[in-house]
Amino acid sequence: MYHVERAGTATAALTDFWLESESPERIRINDAVLRIDTLLAASPQEQGESRPGGRRILLAPPLGVIYKVYEPDRRVRVLRVLRFRSHAD
């Protein structure tokens, strides 16, 4: 298992997204955070897609995260949280 942590700016963005949303969207955000944390804690190198600089991106609508894995420490740091709408929305 990996320890998942968020940069302060990622936590602030996530908080803003949640506060700006209506109740049904808040539930979707909560569910996405749980999915992201579960996937990253289990196998972060196998999730999402690689990006330059050792970063990865993972999408779990309505959120996406850019993160970096620190293998020796078994730690994942979420650097940025993104909000987007899927085509189904």
Side-chain angles (χ1 to χ4, degrees):
M1 294 296 288
Y2 289 76
H3 173 72
V4 179
E5 60 186 31
R6 286 178 188 76
T9 53
T11 299
L14 183 56
T15 300
D16 288 346
F17 297 154
W18 195 88
L19 291 173
E20 294 166 357
S21 299
E22 301 280 329
S23 182
E25 185 70 3
R26 286 180 175 181
I27 293 168
R28 292 185 68 216
I29 290 170
N30 289 345
D31 290 347
V33 169
L34 180 59
R35 276 193 314 276
I36 290 166
D37 287 352
T38 299
L39 292 169
L40 294 182
S43 56
Q45 296 285 22
E46 297 174 19
Q47 306 305 320
E49 298 176 1
S50 64
R51 292 293 184 260
R55 295 179 174 161
R56 299 189 67 79
I57 187 168
L58 173 63
L59 303 178
L63 301 177
V65 293
I66 297 173
Y67 66 96
K68 194 163 186 175
V69 179
Y70 297 91
E71 196 62 50
D73 300 330
R74 300 205 45 94
R75 183 171 55 96
V76 177
R77 183 163 178 83
V78 174
L79 305 169
R80 188 169 174 203
V81 178
L82 314 163
R83 185 176 182 184
F84 68 95
R85 302 218 184 272
S86 68
H87 294 292
D89 290 341

